[in-house]
């Protein structure tokens, strides 16, 4: 969390990565930069492979996020649950680090007296209600995902409706992978509204490969660029540099 913002990558996929860098290693880097990685595996009946399930869990664990595996018809509820749980988990992590700084490296929230722990839980809930939330949605568009994309679109619209009940600001952007010429294609720039999502999904083209690692790497760069821009360190060409007078 930087400047009161919880930053997430929400990866929606149905297959194993088969091209480029190790997605688990990239997720680890994202976590170190303050971006949690949540992964939802979208399966059809009978297509749950041990490798795919293991990779989904490992990416989320490395990225400090949450994971779940669901059938497409259950996707909307799962997307909301994972996003909210991951936000709470991120805030708890920040609180625990502060407790360690104050009370010692071996102390965590669970070590506090019950009344103090309850007070901190209330603080975490309040932060979760009021903090800004930036979600980069990363959608796998390998050929096997074609029939699932309507459910993905529906789930994301439901997510936006659900998060509108929060006091804090919500911003979203949408990327698909693999891109036509790059690891990812941007379908929707940062926006507080997902009303234009339907039009964005019409831009999607399907592909036979699943470069999850390179896609996560690009998603992390998008978050970092946004963070730098908010701090005033981005020039007109998109490179990071300190602006005069700051």
């Amino acid at each position: 969390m930087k400047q009161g913002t919880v930053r997430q990558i929400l990866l929606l996929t149905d297959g194993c990565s088969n091209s480029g860098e190790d997605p688990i290693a990239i997720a680890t880097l994202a976590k170190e930069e303050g971006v949690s990685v949540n992964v939802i595996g979208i399966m059809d009946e009978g297509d749950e492979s041990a490798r795919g399930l293991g990779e989904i869990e490992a990416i989320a664990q490395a990225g400090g996020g949450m994971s779940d595996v669901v059938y497409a018809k259950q996707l909307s509820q799962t997307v909301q649950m994972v996003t909210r749980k991951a936000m709470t988990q991120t805030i708890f992590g920040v609180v625990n680090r502060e407790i360690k700084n104050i009370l010692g490296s071996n102390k965590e929230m669970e070590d506090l007296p019950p009344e103090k722990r309850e007070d901190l839980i209330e603080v975490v809930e309040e932060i979760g209600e009021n903090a800004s939330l930036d979600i980069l949605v990363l959608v796998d568009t390998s050929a096997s995902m074609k029939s699932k994309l309507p459910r993905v679109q529906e789930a994301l619209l439901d997510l936006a409706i659900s998060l509108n009940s929060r006091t804090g600001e919500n911003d979203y952007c949408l990327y698909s992978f693999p891109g036509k010429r790059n690891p990812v294609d941007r379908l929707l720039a940062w926006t507080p509204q997902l009303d234009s999502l339907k039009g964005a999904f019409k831009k999607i083209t399907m592909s036979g490969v699943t470069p999850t690692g390179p896609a996560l790497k690009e998603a992390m760069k998008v978050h970092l660029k946004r963070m730098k821009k908010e701090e005033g360190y981005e020039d007109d060409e998109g490179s990071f540099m300190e602006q005069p007078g700051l």
Side-chain angles (χ1 to χ4, degrees):
M1 277 174 58
K2 295 182 180 180
Q3 299 182 344
T5 300
V6 179
R7 306 182 192 276
Q8 298 184 9
I9 295 170
L10 176 60
L11 170 62
L12 301 168
T13 182
D14 73 344
C16 304
S17 60
N18 56 20
S19 177
E21 297 105 320
D22 178 6
I24 299 169
I26 302 300
T28 301
L29 293 175
K31 179 184 177 182
E32 292 174 355
E33 294 289 353
V35 180
S36 64
V37 182
N38 308 313
V39 191
I40 298 177
I42 311 169
M43 302 296 174
D44 289 322
E45 296 282 352
D47 71 353
E48 304 94 333
S49 71
R51 183 192 162 207
L53 296 178
E55 183 176 89
I56 287 166
E57 183 177 353
I59 292 172
Q61 185 174 4
M66 308 288 294
S67 67
D68 206 344
V69 177
V70 296
Y71 298 127
K73 61 184 179 181
Q74 302 166 319
L75 186 58
S76 286
Q77 182 178 357
T78 303
V79 166
Q80 295 176 43
M81 178 196 69
V82 165
T83 300
R84 287 186 175 273
K85 281 189 174 181
M87 180 166 56
T88 301
Q89 177 175 283
T90 299
I91 296 167
F92 265 112
V94 173
V95 170
N96 267 328
R97 285 197 295 273
E98 292 301 319
I99 290 172
K100 289 179 179 180
N101 289 336
I102 296 169
L103 300 180
S105 60
N106 62 339
K107 297 292 185 180
E108 292 190 353
M109 188 181 294
E110 289 73 13
D111 299 318
L112 297 174
E115 64 275 9
K116 294 295 184 182
R117 192 161 60 242
E118 289 175 7
D119 290 343
L120 275 176
I121 290 173
E122 289 183 9
V123 170
V124 169
E125 291 175 349
E126 183 177 349
I127 294 173
E129 175 66 21
N130 295 296
S132 297
L133 178 61
D134 285 359
I135 305 175
L136 186 151
V137 182
L138 188 58
V139 180
D140 173 3
T141 54
S142 56
S144 57
M145 279 286 289
K146 185 174 183 179
S147 64
K148 300 166 187 172
L149 289 181
R151 292 284 190 179
V152 171
Q153 177 179 294
E154 176 184 306
L156 295 178
L157 289 170
D158 286 348
L159 174 66
I161 293 171
S162 171
L163 292 179
N164 280 343
S165 64
R166 297 177 61 251
T167 304
E169 296 180 356
N170 307 304
D171 276 318
Y172 316 87
C173 64
L174 176 65
Y175 285 75
S176 65
F177 74 99
K180 294 177 182 177
R181 298 180 181 84
N182 300 300
V184 298
D185 279 341
R186 187 179 74 179
L187 305 179
L188 194 63
W190 287 108
T191 175
Q193 302 292 335
L194 284 180
D195 297 342
S196 54
L197 194 64
K198 293 180 181 180
F201 266 74
K202 293 179 181 178
K203 305 174 187 176
I204 289 178
T205 57
M206 313 309 290
S207 175
V209 297
T210 311
T212 308
L216 283 173
K217 188 174 183 179
E218 292 302 313
M220 179 178 67
K221 288 180 180 179
V222 172
H223 266 297
L224 292 177
K225 181 178 180 181
R226 181 171 171 85
M227 292 160 66
K228 294 290 186 180
K229 186 175 182 180
E230 289 173 355
E231 295 167 5
Y233 288 92
E234 185 183 31
D235 66 8
D236 293 337
E237 299 300 319
S239 61
F240 303 149
M241 58 182 291
E242 185 170 356
Q243 297 296 313
L246 294 181

